[in-house]
Structures are given as C-alpha cells and as structure tokens.
Amino acid sequence: MAVYTEVTDDALAGFLEAYDIGRVVAFRGIAEGVENSNYSLRTTAGDFILTLYEKRVDPAELPWFLGLMEHLAAKSLPCPLPVRARDGRNLNPLAGRIAAITTFLPGIWPRRPTAAHCAPLGAALARLHVAGADYQAERVNALGPAGWRPLLERCGDSADRVEPGLGDALAASLDGILDQWPQSLPRGQIHADLFPDNVFFLDGAISGLIDFYFAATDFFAYDIAVCLNAWCFEADLSFNITKSHALLRGYQSVRPLGAKEGAALPVLSAGAAMRFLLTRLYDWINTPDGALVTRKDPMPYYRRLRFHTQTTSATDYGL
Amino acid sequence: MAVYTEVTDDALAGFLEAYDIGRVVAFRGIAEGVENSNYSLRTTAGDFILTLYEKRVDPAELPWFLGLMEHLAAKSLPCPLPVRARDGRNLNPLAGRIAAITTFLPGIWPRRPTAAHCAPLGAALARLHVAGADYQAERVNALGPAGWRPLLERCGDSADRVEPGLGDALAASLDGILDQWPQSLPRGQIHADLFPDNVFFLDGAISGLIDFYFAATDFFAYDIAVCLNAWCFEADLSFNITKSHALLRGYQSVRPLGAKEGAALPVLSAGAAMRFLLTRLYDWINTPDGALVTRKDPMPYYRRLRFHTQTTSATDYGL
C-alpha cells in the first residue's frame, strides 16, 4: 500500500496550475513503495509520478534528494527528473504534504532477479557513483554504522520476542562489525537502498533507478554490499555466487574496485545485512497490529548476516 | 492495497505472447480496488489494465462480467473493453490466477463528490441501464434482498460487539425492508456498486465506469438507490438533497422513472444501505487483526439506513 494521503481532483488541478505540464488526464494510486504516497499522473503533456512525502521523510532533506536526482538525470542516469514549477520550485505543498512531480520511467522491476539482471545492475550502480562524484553536497547516512547501535538499543528486549537470544547475538555481531569497519574507502553519493523494486528493466537493459530517499554520502563499496544482500540470495536464503560475480563484474566494467574496497566486502556486507535487519526489527516491534503497512520479516537478514560473518575475502563474492 | 498476486516479468511476457498488443513497456501495481489485483500495463501498442481475479470472484462468473463490459463498450458506454487474445479468449491464466486485460480509461475519480458530479453520474447510470437491456444473460444478484438475511445471520451475535443492540435493530429493520420490497419493477443489468471510486471524470464529463464485478440483473431503481447512498451523503452523514435531485434529474434525462419506481425509492434506498452495512459488518467481524485489507466501518451505513427509514416518498429525494 503506498497511498496514505488522498488528493482531491480540485486540489490536484490547483497544484498543477503552478506547472507547465498541461491538465490532468489520468491519476491513479501506485501500489508499490512503502514510505511515501505515489500516484501515476498523466497530463496533456505526458506521464509523470506525483509523490507526497509522508511523515518518515524530513522535509529539510528533500532538496538534497531532489538535487541529487536532478544531478544524476543531467548525466543521463535513468533516474526520475524532478519537474520544476514555473517559479523554479520542485517541491510544493499539496493536501497537507510536501509534494514533487518527477518524470515517468518505463520498465518493470524484476520480481525474480536472475544473474542476467545482476551485470547491468552492477554497471548502473557504478555509473551512479561516478555521476554523483561532483554533486558537492554531503548527506550523513543516518542508517550507516553510527546509527546501528542506537537502533539496536531502541529495540531493547523486544528482539528476543522475535527469536530468543536474538538481542545478545546481534549486539555481539554488531561489535565485531564496528571493530572491523574500514576507516576510509572511496566515498561519494550512494543510493543505499537499491533493491529489485527500485530498478526497472526493459528488454534486458536498465530503464530506471528510483526511490533515492535513503541516498547519502558514504563508501561506494557499501552500496555494492547493499546490492549483494538485496540481489544475490535465493528464496531459500542460500548465497548465489554467480549473481554476485556478475554484479561485481558489471560494476568493475565501469568503475574498478580498489584492493581495500574488495578486502572490505565481507564486513561491509555484514554491515548492510545488519542495517536492514535492524530497521526491519524495529518496524516489526513497533508496527501496531492491524496497521496497513506490510511488516517485513527481519529474520532473513539474520541469515544473510550469518553468511557474511563466515566469508573472509572478496573471493567469497566471486571477485 | 490492491496487489495480492505478484506477476514476474517472465510470466507477464509469456502471458502477452497470446495477445496482439505488442511488448511490455511499463507495469505498475495500482493501489485502488479491494477485490482483485490490478496493474497498469503499458505495451508498445498502448495502455491497458491487467486484472488478476482473486479468491472472492467465482471464475465461472467471469465470462458474464466480461461479456457485459464488452456489450456496454460496443454501445459506446465508457467502460473497460476486455481485450481478446489471438485465439479469441479474454480470460487466460497468469500467476496461478485467471486474468484479463482491459482498455485503459482516462480520468480521475472524485474524492469529494459535488452536486456537479451527480447529474452526469445519473445520466451515465441510465445509459448503462438502457445499453444493457439487450444483454440477454441473467445473473442473480447474490447481494440482493434474498442474500441479506443469511448475511445478517452469519454475523450473529458479533454485531453487538460493533454496537450494543445492533443485531436486533438490524433484524427488525431488515424485516420492514423485505416486507415492503417491490414485487416487480423495470429490471435489467445493473452495476450495483457505482461508488465514486468506480467513476472517472475528465473536464467535468464522465470518462470511465469501472469495476463491474458486482453487476447483476435486478431493478434499475435499486441501482439508483445504491448511488443515492454512495454519492448524496456528506462527510457528517447528512443527506444532500441537491445532489440527489441532480442525480435523479440526470438519470431521467436519459430514462424517465415510472411512478412505481419513484414510489419505491425509500425502501430501495434503505435496502441498498442495508446491503453495504451488512457486507461491511461481515468483513469487519471477519477481518483478522493485522490483515492488509482496509476494513470499512459499517456504522455510516447504519446512519444512512436510519435516514431512509424516515423518508416516505420520492419527494424526499428531490424527485
């Protein structure tokens, strides 16, 4: 469910008056996405996506996200281009929210990622990193390593309600990850959430990268680690090295990894598993029964975490 | 939330091979709708809606619904036209469900219906009734008066958990409605669920009537009564006679109501309120906590029901 805020036809028509994209032709809520309300919007000028930012997004951060998308789109990355109103603003109020219009991207996200998806994915991720290099603004990754211990502490004893002993196991695992975390690696703008539902494919090629609202300034290789977690495990949670090999090969076809980046893949991957485990755990514990939000089971990320804590080098990822 | 069944890109591509509508360009889940999974589908040939029928729909009834839509579309009613595959079938298996492709209709459904919407709505409803007259097949209205007492009995004592005394009040009210229910009135194909989210408007005119999966063969005036309930009450549940007057005037501009139909409006409207009250009550009681379906509060239909039991003639509806 990704429509939390209803927009009346009058409000929409009024909102569009500030833009040069014609009049409404069609307007439908989009089921995908969990953080914001998304509508597919057709006007007499073409197809767009209308996003209303919901309470989890800090309005003060929106200009950074939209600036990054504009920067990347200008470099021909297939990401949504925020549309500016006649007065130059790309963020405007609608139905009690801040809203933005972005361009529509064709394609389908792969419900069952295969190795054939992973090479173009890796290449697109590297292009994103290269294209973002001269976007000067910096955004701290609130869900990076510095945020994990506070997040675990906020879960408190409730972790053990999900699985007995989970709290202690995570605390120990987190200590190990933070001990080994690299002091420095090549860094810049990362997507930080490039899961399959944020990547559109058309005829085998990538046609869209969406949902930049977790993007931040952090290690490039950490972004790869997020993708290794998101794309390279099978439904039975076994790791598929053919996929990770394809992903890393695709990445390096655009931006070769340094030796330190390769060596850090095990701990970065464990950290990425920890990040999604912790946010899912927190949401699992704090989502009231009967809420309309789909809770995502945290335990598959515990399985991924245990895999990564057993790897020792980039070779284990097919590099 | 209206995506219960996920469709993989491979399955979709395979499904489309049976049709002459080109290849997939975009595919997004649609948030609206509660009974089935709906996707907006763009192909190289244009825009379509892909519907996967979920468990509440009896597959044996689908040919009737799709036949009605095809019949009405052929008479220029703006309803979705089912697209036939090369072999002539308009229902085909996909992802473990029966699925259909229909044409895309432009427009927006009115989040806040006004009197200005009600005249074109009434006229469109009458056109639907006239256009459906020579669709010979008959479908019993399972949610018509014969179904209400069994539905109330299945709610049992649980009604009183929603509001103390509700069960007895509904039983008494239902007796009164069934006693007064007309023996015969002009009848034919009715939509039976023409709520605002099933009616698209574009530039003040109706551009789409959708969701025919409650359609049935029943009194035309009962379909009007459904619309009086769905369109003519304000947010505070007061009845707006300006809206109902506009609705009835619009209807009669296409198909004048007979004296018996007008006289029956109070009981038909009470019956329509009872029908939505009972299905909502049943769902309210039987939806498990934590389910992803939005439960709709039945009580606003109890308020409507009480209004209709106090009306005495068509004059109370502005006829």
Side-chain angles (χ1 to χ4, degrees):
Chain A
M1 168 74 184
V3 174
Y4 305 97
T5 303
E6 280 288 4
V7 178
T8 67
D9 35 348
D10 285 348
L12 178 61
F15 179 78
L16 286 181
E17 278 172 15
Y19 293 81
D20 259 334
I21 57 169
R23 285 173 304 112
V24 187
V25 175
F27 186 60
R28 310 282 151 88
I30 295 178
E32 284 98 346
V34 290
E35 297 287 334
N36 300 311
S37 294
N38 292 300
Y39 288 91
S40 113
L41 167 67
R42 177 173 298 178
T43 75
T44 44
D47 285 289
F48 304 91
I49 301 294
L50 173 72
T51 301
L52 287 89
Y53 299 99
E54 301 292 345
K55 59 177 188 293
R56 280 207 189 193
V57 177
D58 178 358
E61 297 210 296
L62 289 172
W64 190 91
F65 297 130
L66 270 67
L68 177 61
M69 289 155 71
E70 198 167 43
H71 180 94
L72 296 174
K75 303 215 169 196
S76 302
L77 211 82
C79 71
L81 174 65
V83 176
R84 290 183 179 276
R86 274 191 222 94
D87 67 1
R89 289 173 205 259
N90 54 21
L91 290 161
N92 288 293
L94 175 61
R97 299 275 182 271
I98 303 290
I101 295 174
T102 55
T103 50
F104 174 90
L105 296 171
I108 315 178
W109 66 266
R111 270 70 177 172
R112 285 188 202 151
T114 65
H117 294 110
C118 290
L121 169 74
L125 184 68
R127 276 196 293 273
L128 190 159
H129 292 166
V130 172
D134 54 348
Y135 183 58
Q136 290 295 337
E138 173 119 0
R139 179 177 181 260
V140 171
N141 189 5
L143 291 174
W148 298 337
R149 206 183 316 261
L151 199 49
L152 180 58
E153 281 164 4
R154 281 159 70 199
C155 294
D157 298 336
S158 301
D160 289 353
R161 282 196 285 124
V162 175
E163 180 156 300
L166 183 62
D168 286 346
L170 291 184
S173 187
L174 182 51
D175 286 343
I177 291 168
L178 296 179
D179 278 352
Q180 298 173 58
W181 200 252
Q183 290 296 312
S184 81
L185 284 178
R187 63 198 296 282
Q189 314 310 345
I190 68 166
H191 184 284
D193 193 40
L194 203 54
F195 276 64
D197 57 346
N198 288 330
V199 182
F200 298 158
F201 286 82
L202 195 59
D203 298 328
I206 285 182
S207 57
L209 302 172
I210 65 163
D211 205 349
F212 282 77
Y213 305 104
F214 289 105
T217 315
D218 209 333
F219 298 154
F220 292 138
Y222 175 68
D223 220 5
I224 300 174
V226 169
C227 289
L228 291 172
N229 278 282
W231 292 78
C232 302
F233 287 83
E234 300 303 302
D236 67 0
L237 298 178
S238 63
F239 184 72
N240 183 328
I241 197 167
T242 305
K243 289 182 178 175
S244 64
H245 173 72
L247 196 160
L248 292 167
R249 186 169 45 80
Y251 189 91
Q252 298 211 91
S253 71
V254 176
R255 179 182 171 268
L257 285 172
K260 279 176 65 184
E261 291 180 292
L265 279 181
V267 68
L268 295 172
S269 298
M274 179 65 76
R275 173 255 182 269
F276 291 101
L277 199 169
L278 289 175
T279 49
R280 288 181 174 207
L281 181 64
Y282 182 82
D283 289 348
W284 192 266
I285 293 166
N286 291 287
T287 302
D289 284 346
L292 276 174
V293 179
T294 317
R295 295 193 300 187
K296 291 178 178 168
D297 183 3
M299 293 312 287
Y301 277 85
Y302 189 54
R303 294 276 299 276
R304 285 171 170 84
L305 174 60
R306 288 193 300 189
F307 171 81
H308 298 304
T309 53
Q310 287 158 14
T311 61
T312 55
S313 77
T315 315
D316 294 318
Y317 297 94
L319 190 68
Chain B
M1 167 75 182
V3 173
Y4 305 96
T5 302
E6 281 288 5
V7 178
T8 67
D9 34 348
D10 284 348
L12 178 62
F15 179 78
L16 286 181
E17 277 172 16
Y19 292 81
D20 259 333
I21 57 170
R23 284 172 307 113
V24 187
V25 174
F27 186 60
R28 309 281 151 88
I30 296 177
E32 284 98 345
V34 289
E35 297 287 335
N36 300 312
S37 294
N38 291 300
Y39 289 89
S40 114
L41 166 68
R42 177 173 298 177
T43 74
T44 44
D47 285 289
F48 303 90
I49 301 294
L50 172 73
T51 302
L52 286 88
Y53 298 99
E54 301 293 343
K55 58 179 189 294
R56 279 207 189 192
V57 177
D58 178 357
E61 296 209 298
L62 288 171
W64 190 90
F65 297 128
L66 268 68
L68 177 61
M69 289 155 71
E70 197 167 44
H71 181 93
L72 296 174
K75 302 214 168 194
S76 302
L77 212 81
C79 72
L81 174 64
V83 177
R84 291 184 178 275
R86 273 190 223 95
D87 67 1
R89 289 173 205 260
N90 53 21
L91 289 163
N92 288 294
L94 174 61
R97 299 275 183 269
I98 302 290
I101 294 173
T102 55
T103 51
F104 174 90
L105 297 171
I108 314 179
W109 66 266
R111 270 69 177 175
R112 286 189 201 149
T114 65
H117 293 110
C118 290
L121 169 74
L125 184 68
R127 275 195 294 272
L128 190 160
H129 292 164
V130 172
D134 54 349
Y135 183 60
Q136 290 295 336
E138 174 120 358
R139 177 176 182 261
V140 172
N141 189 4
L143 292 173
W148 299 337
R149 206 183 313 263
L151 198 50
L152 180 58
E153 282 165 4
R154 281 159 68 200
C155 295
D157 297 337
S158 303
D160 289 352
R161 283 196 285 126
V162 176
E163 179 156 304
L166 184 63
D168 285 347
L170 291 184
S173 186
L174 183 53
D175 286 344
I177 290 168
L178 295 178
D179 277 351
Q180 298 173 57
W181 201 254
Q183 289 296 312
S184 82
L185 284 178
R187 64 197 296 282
Q189 313 311 345
I190 67 167
H191 185 285
D193 193 39
L194 203 53
F195 277 62
D197 58 344
N198 288 331
V199 183
F200 299 156
F201 286 81
L202 194 59
D203 299 327
I206 285 182
S207 58
L209 304 172
I210 66 163
D211 205 351
F212 282 77
Y213 304 105
F214 289 105
T217 315
D218 209 331
F219 299 153
F220 293 138
Y222 174 68
D223 220 5
I224 300 174
V226 169
C227 289
L228 291 172
N229 278 284
W231 292 77
C232 302
F233 286 83
E234 299 303 302
D236 67 357
L237 299 178
S238 63
F239 184 72
N240 184 327
I241 198 167
T242 306
K243 290 182 177 175
S244 65
H245 173 73
L247 197 160
L248 292 166
R249 186 170 42 82
Y251 188 92
Q252 297 210 95
S253 70
V254 175
R255 178 181 171 269
L257 285 172
K260 279 175 65 183
E261 290 180 293
L265 279 181
V267 67
L268 295 173
S269 298
M274 180 64 78
R275 173 256 182 268
F276 291 101
L277 199 170
L278 289 175
T279 50
R280 288 180 174 207
L281 180 64
Y282 183 82
D283 289 346
W284 192 266
I285 293 167
N286 291 287
T287 301
D289 283 346
L292 278 172
V293 178
T294 318
R295 294 194 300 187
K296 292 178 177 167
D297 183 3
M299 293 312 288
Y301 277 84
Y302 188 55
R303 296 277 297 277
R304 286 172 169 84
L305 174 60
R306 286 192 302 191
F307 171 83
H308 297 305
T309 53
Q310 285 157 15
T311 60
T312 54
S313 77
T315 316
D316 293 317
Y317 297 92
L319 191 70

